[in-house]
Amino acid sequence: MSKTSSGTLYRGREGMWSWVGHRVTGVVIFLFLLVHVLDTALVRVNADAYNAVIATYQNPLMALGETALVAAILFHAFNGLRLILVDFWKQGTKYQRQLLWGVLGVWIVVFAAFAIRHLSLAFGGH
Amino acid sequence: MSVNIAAPRSQRLDPKYVRGPKSRGNFEMLAWLFMRLSGVVLVVLIFGHLFANLMTGTGINALSFGFVAGKWANPVWQFWDLALLWLSMLHGTNGVRTIINDYAEKHATRAWLKGILYVATIFIVVLGSLVIFTFDPCVAGSDLAQCR
């Protein structure tokens, strides 16, 4: 980053981009949460109606959306734990950058495991 | 010789330098703390939710009304989902509240957006809680064995 101001970019680098990622994933997850409670509420109305809506989640195209949603959830979860370390661990601010690379490493591994399992189930056909 | 200068925030400031209305007490600190505490619990609750529903057996293909009825026959899953509903909604609502406060500059816009947010939150939390507490495995359309 240059030392002079460049447009509306704040400080850039790991600290700012993890903050941006945390906000964006948080909003996406919250919007899904509202929809998810509404679709689940159909179990109180009619079993067939619930099954019909769940069937839309079971098509392969939606499986890609679910995989993207879980990618967002996993990032928000691991980066959230990093935030807690930054706030409460004495060395947290000093190592916040390394912690972010740790977050991304764990994120890739857990996401890959989820995506392989979920997509093979969704595309496997049962 | 020495001059007594009032310490900052000693309540002797000219009123024109006092920022904002009265203090809101510890609310913002408690909200900050809640995000951390609920966050840790939510990691466990959501990972368990995703694992049980999507990773075991035939995963998403197994989801159906009968699957939900089977889970909610167990009080542990009822409590799990209720805690998930409340904590995730409060965590998400507080997050969006922060974002509204950051980006909505006009007072009226902020008030409206937060009003809509709180109405939506109360609606979803009440609806979700009622669904868990009043769940009926023999609701219309159910073809479970015990309902025939």
Coordinates of all heavy atoms in Angstrom, one line a residue, chain B residues 37-91:
Chain B
L37 N -19.5 -14.2 22.4 CA -20.0 -15.4 23.1 C -20.9 -16.2 22.2 O -20.8 -17.4 22.1 CB -20.7 -15.0 24.4 CG -19.8 -14.3 25.5 CD1 -20.6 -13.8 26.7 CD2 -18.7 -15.2 25.9
S38 N -21.9 -15.5 21.6 CA -22.8 -16.3 20.7 C -22.1 -16.8 19.5 O -22.4 -17.9 19.0 CB -24.0 -15.4 20.3 OG -23.5 -14.3 19.5
G39 N -21.1 -16.1 19.1 CA -20.3 -16.6 17.9 C -19.7 -18.0 18.2 O -19.8 -18.9 17.3
V40 N -19.0 -18.1 19.3 CA -18.4 -19.4 19.7 C -19.5 -20.5 19.7 O -19.3 -21.6 19.2 CB -17.7 -19.3 21.0 CG1 -17.2 -20.7 21.4 CG2 -16.5 -18.3 20.9
V41 N -20.6 -20.2 20.4 CA -21.7 -21.3 20.5 C -22.2 -21.6 19.1 O -22.5 -22.7 18.8 CB -22.8 -20.8 21.5 CG1 -23.9 -21.8 21.6 CG2 -22.2 -20.5 22.8
L42 N -22.4 -20.5 18.3 CA -23.0 -20.8 16.9 C -22.1 -21.6 16.1 O -22.6 -22.4 15.2 CB -23.2 -19.4 16.3 CG -24.5 -18.7 16.7 CD1 -24.6 -17.3 16.2 CD2 -25.8 -19.5 16.2
V43 N -20.8 -21.5 16.2 CA -19.9 -22.4 15.4 C -20.2 -23.8 15.7 O -20.4 -24.6 14.8 CB -18.4 -22.1 15.8 CG1 -17.5 -23.1 15.1 CG2 -18.0 -20.7 15.3
V44 N -20.4 -24.2 17.0 CA -20.7 -25.5 17.4 C -22.1 -25.9 16.9 O -22.3 -27.0 16.2 CB -20.7 -25.7 18.9 CG1 -21.1 -27.1 19.3 CG2 -19.3 -25.4 19.4
L45 N -23.1 -25.1 17.1 CA -24.5 -25.4 16.7 C -24.6 -25.5 15.2 O -25.3 -26.4 14.7 CB -25.4 -24.3 17.2 CG -25.7 -24.2 18.7 CD1 -26.6 -23.0 19.1 CD2 -26.3 -25.5 19.3
I46 N -24.0 -24.6 14.4 CA -24.2 -24.7 13.0 C -23.4 -25.8 12.4 O -23.8 -26.5 11.5 CB -23.8 -23.3 12.3 CG1 -24.8 -22.2 12.8 CG2 -23.7 -23.4 10.8 CD1 -24.5 -20.8 12.3
F47 N -22.2 -26.0 12.9 CA -21.4 -27.2 12.3 C -22.1 -28.5 12.6 O -22.2 -29.4 11.7 CB -20.0 -27.2 12.9 CG -19.0 -26.2 12.3 CD1 -19.5 -25.0 11.7 CD2 -17.6 -26.5 12.2 CE1 -18.6 -24.1 11.1 CE2 -16.7 -25.6 11.6 CZ -17.2 -24.4 11.1
G48 N -22.7 -28.6 13.8 CA -23.5 -29.8 14.1 C -24.7 -29.9 13.2 O -25.1 -31.0 12.7
H49 N -25.4 -28.8 13.0 CA -26.6 -28.8 12.1 C -26.2 -29.2 10.7 O -26.9 -30.0 10.1 CB -27.1 -27.3 12.2 CG -28.3 -27.0 11.4 ND1 -29.6 -27.4 11.8 CD2 -28.5 -26.4 10.2 CE1 -30.5 -27.0 10.9 NE2 -29.9 -26.4 9.9
L50 N -25.2 -28.6 10.2 CA -24.8 -28.9 8.8 C -24.3 -30.4 8.7 O -24.6 -31.1 7.7 CB -23.6 -28.0 8.3 CG -24.0 -26.5 8.1 CD1 -22.8 -25.7 7.8 CD2 -25.0 -26.5 6.9
F51 N -23.6 -30.9 9.7 CA -23.1 -32.2 9.6 C -24.2 -33.2 9.7 O -24.3 -34.2 8.9 CB -22.1 -32.5 10.8 CG -21.3 -33.8 10.6 CD1 -20.2 -33.8 9.8 CD2 -21.8 -34.9 11.2 CE1 -19.5 -35.0 9.6 CE2 -21.1 -36.2 11.0 CZ -20.0 -36.2 10.2
A52 N -25.1 -33.0 10.6 CA -26.2 -34.0 10.8 C -27.2 -34.0 9.6 O -27.7 -35.0 9.2 CB -27.0 -33.7 12.1
N53 N -27.4 -32.8 9.0 CA -28.4 -32.7 7.9 C -27.8 -33.0 6.5 O -28.5 -33.4 5.6 CB -29.1 -31.4 7.9 CG -29.9 -31.1 9.2 OD1 -29.9 -32.0 10.1 ND2 -30.5 -30.0 9.3
L54 N -26.5 -32.6 6.3 CA -26.0 -32.7 4.9 C -24.9 -33.7 4.7 O -24.6 -34.1 3.6 CB -25.5 -31.3 4.5 CG -26.6 -30.2 4.4 CD1 -25.9 -28.9 4.0 CD2 -27.7 -30.6 3.5
M55 N -24.2 -34.1 5.8 CA -23.0 -35.0 5.6 C -23.3 -36.4 5.9 O -22.5 -37.3 5.5 CB -21.9 -34.4 6.5 CG -21.4 -33.0 6.2 SD -20.4 -32.9 4.7 CE -21.6 -32.3 3.5
T56 N -24.3 -36.7 6.7 CA -24.5 -38.1 7.1 C -25.5 -38.8 6.2 O -26.3 -38.1 5.6 CB -25.0 -38.2 8.6 OG1 -26.2 -37.5 8.7 CG2 -24.0 -37.7 9.6
G57 N -25.5 -40.1 6.1 CA -26.4 -40.9 5.3 C -26.4 -40.4 3.8 O -25.3 -40.3 3.2
T58 N -27.5 -40.1 3.3 CA -27.6 -39.7 1.9 C -27.7 -38.1 1.8 O -28.1 -37.6 0.8 CB -28.8 -40.3 1.1 OG1 -30.0 -40.0 1.8 CG2 -28.6 -41.8 1.0
G59 N -27.3 -37.5 2.9 CA -27.2 -36.0 2.9 C -28.5 -35.3 2.6 O -29.6 -35.7 3.1
I60 N -28.4 -34.4 1.7 CA -29.5 -33.5 1.3 C -30.7 -34.3 0.7 O -31.9 -34.0 0.9 CB -29.1 -32.4 0.4 CG1 -30.2 -31.3 0.3 CG2 -28.8 -32.9 -1.0 CD1 -29.8 -30.0 -0.2
N61 N -30.4 -35.5 0.1 CA -31.4 -36.3 -0.5 C -32.4 -36.9 0.5 O -33.5 -37.2 0.2 CB -30.8 -37.4 -1.3 CG -29.9 -36.9 -2.4 OD1 -30.3 -36.2 -3.3 ND2 -28.6 -37.2 -2.2
A62 N -31.9 -37.0 1.8 CA -32.8 -37.5 2.8 C -33.7 -36.5 3.5 O -34.6 -36.9 4.2 CB -31.9 -38.2 3.9
L63 N -33.5 -35.3 3.1 CA -34.4 -34.2 3.8 C -35.8 -34.3 3.3 O -36.1 -34.4 2.1 CB -33.8 -32.8 3.5 CG -32.4 -32.5 4.0 CD1 -32.1 -31.1 3.9 CD2 -32.2 -33.0 5.4
S64 N -36.7 -34.3 4.3 CA -38.2 -34.4 4.0 C -38.9 -34.1 5.3 O -38.3 -33.9 6.3 CB -38.5 -35.8 3.5 OG -38.4 -36.7 4.6
F65 N -40.2 -34.0 5.2 CA -41.0 -33.8 6.4 C -40.7 -34.9 7.4 O -40.6 -34.6 8.6 CB -42.5 -33.8 6.0 CG -43.4 -33.7 7.2 CD1 -43.7 -32.4 7.8 CD2 -44.0 -34.8 7.8 CE1 -44.5 -32.3 8.9 CE2 -44.8 -34.6 9.0 CZ -45.0 -33.4 9.5
G66 N -40.6 -36.2 7.0 CA -40.4 -37.3 7.9 C -39.0 -37.1 8.6 O -38.9 -37.4 9.8
F67 N -38.0 -36.6 7.9 CA -36.7 -36.4 8.5 C -36.8 -35.3 9.6 O -36.3 -35.5 10.7 CB -35.8 -35.9 7.4 CG -34.4 -35.6 7.9 CD1 -33.4 -36.6 7.9 CD2 -34.0 -34.3 8.3 CE1 -32.1 -36.3 8.3 CE2 -32.7 -34.0 8.7 CZ -31.8 -35.1 8.7
V68 N -37.5 -34.3 9.4 CA -37.7 -33.2 10.4 C -38.5 -33.8 11.6 O -38.1 -33.6 12.8 CB -38.5 -32.0 9.9 CG1 -38.7 -30.9 10.9 CG2 -37.7 -31.4 8.7
A69 N -39.5 -34.6 11.3 CA -40.3 -35.2 12.4 C -39.5 -36.1 13.2 O -39.5 -36.1 14.5 CB -41.5 -35.9 11.8
G70 N -38.6 -36.9 12.6 CA -37.7 -37.8 13.3 C -36.7 -37.0 14.2 O -36.5 -37.4 15.3
K71 N -36.2 -35.9 13.7 CA -35.3 -35.1 14.5 C -36.0 -34.5 15.7 O -35.5 -34.6 16.8 CB -34.6 -34.0 13.7 CG -33.3 -34.4 13.1 CD -32.6 -33.3 12.3 CE -31.5 -32.6 13.1 NZ -31.0 -31.4 12.4
W72 N -37.1 -33.9 15.5 CA -37.8 -33.2 16.5 C -38.5 -34.1 17.5 O -39.1 -33.7 18.5 CB -38.7 -32.1 16.0 CG -38.0 -30.9 15.5 CD1 -36.6 -30.7 15.7 CD2 -38.4 -29.8 14.8 NE1 -36.3 -29.5 15.2 CE2 -37.4 -28.9 14.6 CE3 -39.7 -29.5 14.3 CZ2 -37.5 -27.7 13.9 CZ3 -39.8 -28.3 13.6 CH2 -38.7 -27.4 13.4
A73 N -38.5 -35.5 17.2 CA -39.0 -36.4 18.2 C -38.0 -36.5 19.4 O -38.3 -36.9 20.5 CB -39.2 -37.8 17.6
N74 N -36.8 -36.0 19.1 CA -35.8 -36.0 20.1 C -35.6 -34.6 20.7 O -35.3 -33.6 20.0 CB -34.4 -36.4 19.5 CG -33.3 -36.5 20.4 OD1 -33.4 -36.0 21.6 ND2 -32.2 -37.0 19.9
P75 N -35.8 -34.4 22.1 CA -35.8 -33.1 22.7 C -34.4 -32.4 22.5 O -34.3 -31.2 22.5 CB -36.1 -33.4 24.2 CG -36.4 -34.8 24.3 CD -36.2 -35.5 23.0
V76 N -33.4 -33.2 22.4 CA -32.0 -32.6 22.2 C -32.0 -31.8 20.9 O -31.5 -30.6 20.9 CB -30.9 -33.7 22.2 CG1 -29.6 -33.1 21.8 CG2 -30.8 -34.4 23.5
W77 N -32.5 -32.3 19.8 CA -32.6 -31.6 18.6 C -33.6 -30.4 18.6 O -33.3 -29.4 18.0 CB -32.9 -32.5 17.4 CG -31.7 -33.3 16.9 CD1 -31.6 -34.6 16.9 CD2 -30.5 -32.8 16.4 NE1 -30.4 -35.0 16.4 CE2 -29.7 -33.9 16.1 CE3 -29.9 -31.5 16.2 CZ2 -28.4 -33.8 15.6 CZ3 -28.6 -31.4 15.7 CH2 -27.9 -32.5 15.4
Q78 N -34.7 -30.6 19.4 CA -35.6 -29.4 19.5 C -34.8 -28.3 20.2 O -34.9 -27.1 19.7 CB -36.8 -29.9 20.4 CG -37.8 -30.6 19.7 CD -39.0 -30.8 20.6 OE1 -38.9 -31.2 21.8 NE2 -40.2 -30.5 20.1
F79 N -34.1 -28.6 21.3 CA -33.4 -27.6 22.0 C -32.3 -27.0 21.1 O -32.0 -25.8 21.1 CB -32.8 -28.1 23.3 CG -32.0 -27.1 24.0 CD1 -32.6 -26.1 24.8 CD2 -30.6 -27.2 24.0 CE1 -31.8 -25.1 25.4 CE2 -29.8 -26.2 24.6 CZ -30.4 -25.2 25.3
W80 N -31.6 -27.9 20.4 CA -30.5 -27.5 19.5 C -31.0 -26.4 18.5 O -30.4 -25.4 18.3 CB -30.0 -28.7 18.8 CG -28.7 -28.5 18.0 CD1 -28.5 -27.8 16.8 CD2 -27.4 -29.0 18.3 NE1 -27.2 -27.9 16.4 CE2 -26.5 -28.6 17.3 CE3 -26.9 -29.8 19.4 CZ2 -25.2 -29.0 17.3 CZ3 -25.6 -30.2 19.4 CH2 -24.7 -29.7 18.4
D81 N -32.2 -26.8 17.9 CA -32.7 -25.9 16.8 C -33.2 -24.6 17.4 O -33.1 -23.5 16.8 CB -33.8 -26.6 16.0 CG -33.1 -27.6 15.1 OD1 -31.9 -27.7 15.0 OD2 -33.9 -28.4 14.4
L82 N -33.8 -24.7 18.6 CA -34.3 -23.5 19.3 C -33.2 -22.5 19.6 O -33.2 -21.3 19.3 CB -35.1 -23.8 20.5 CG -35.9 -22.7 21.2 CD1 -37.1 -22.3 20.3 CD2 -36.3 -23.0 22.6
A83 N -32.1 -23.1 20.2 CA -30.9 -22.3 20.5 C -30.3 -21.7 19.2 O -29.9 -20.5 19.2 CB -29.9 -23.1 21.3
L84 N -30.3 -22.5 18.2 CA -29.7 -22.0 16.9 C -30.6 -20.8 16.4 O -30.0 -19.8 15.9 CB -29.8 -23.2 15.9 CG -29.0 -23.1 14.6 CD1 -27.6 -22.7 14.9 CD2 -29.1 -24.5 13.9
L85 N -31.9 -21.0 16.4 CA -32.8 -19.9 16.0 C -32.5 -18.6 16.7 O -32.3 -17.6 16.1 CB -34.2 -20.4 16.1 CG -35.3 -19.3 15.9 CD1 -35.5 -19.1 14.4 CD2 -36.6 -19.7 16.5
W86 N -32.6 -18.7 18.0 CA -32.5 -17.5 18.8 C -31.1 -16.8 18.7 O -31.0 -15.6 18.5 CB -32.8 -17.8 20.3 CG -34.3 -17.8 20.6 CD1 -35.1 -18.8 20.2 CD2 -35.0 -16.8 21.2 NE1 -36.4 -18.4 20.6 CE2 -36.4 -17.2 21.2 CE3 -34.7 -15.5 21.7 CZ2 -37.4 -16.5 21.7 CZ3 -35.8 -14.8 22.3 CH2 -37.1 -15.2 22.3
L87 N -30.0 -17.6 18.9 CA -28.7 -17.1 18.8 C -28.3 -16.5 17.4 O -27.8 -15.4 17.3 CB -27.7 -18.1 19.3 CG -27.7 -18.4 20.8 CD1 -26.7 -19.5 21.1 CD2 -27.4 -17.2 21.6
S88 N -28.7 -17.3 16.4 CA -28.3 -16.8 15.1 C -29.1 -15.6 14.7 O -28.6 -14.6 14.1 CB -28.5 -17.9 14.0 OG -29.9 -18.3 14.0
M89 N -30.4 -15.5 15.1 CA -31.2 -14.3 14.8 C -30.7 -13.1 15.5 O -30.6 -12.0 15.0 CB -32.7 -14.5 15.0 CG -33.4 -15.3 13.9 SD -33.2 -14.6 12.3 CE -34.2 -13.1 12.5
L90 N -30.4 -13.2 16.8 CA -29.9 -12.1 17.6 C -28.5 -11.7 17.1 O -28.2 -10.5 16.9 CB -29.8 -12.4 19.1 CG -31.2 -12.6 19.7 CD1 -31.1 -13.0 21.2 CD2 -32.0 -11.3 19.6
H91 N -27.6 -12.7 16.8 CA -26.3 -12.4 16.3 C -26.4 -11.6 14.9 O -25.7 -10.6 14.7 CB -25.5 -13.7 16.1 CG -24.1 -13.6 15.8 ND1 -23.1 -13.7 16.7 CD2 -23.4 -13.4 14.6 CE1 -21.9 -13.6 16.1 NE2 -22.1 -13.4 14.9

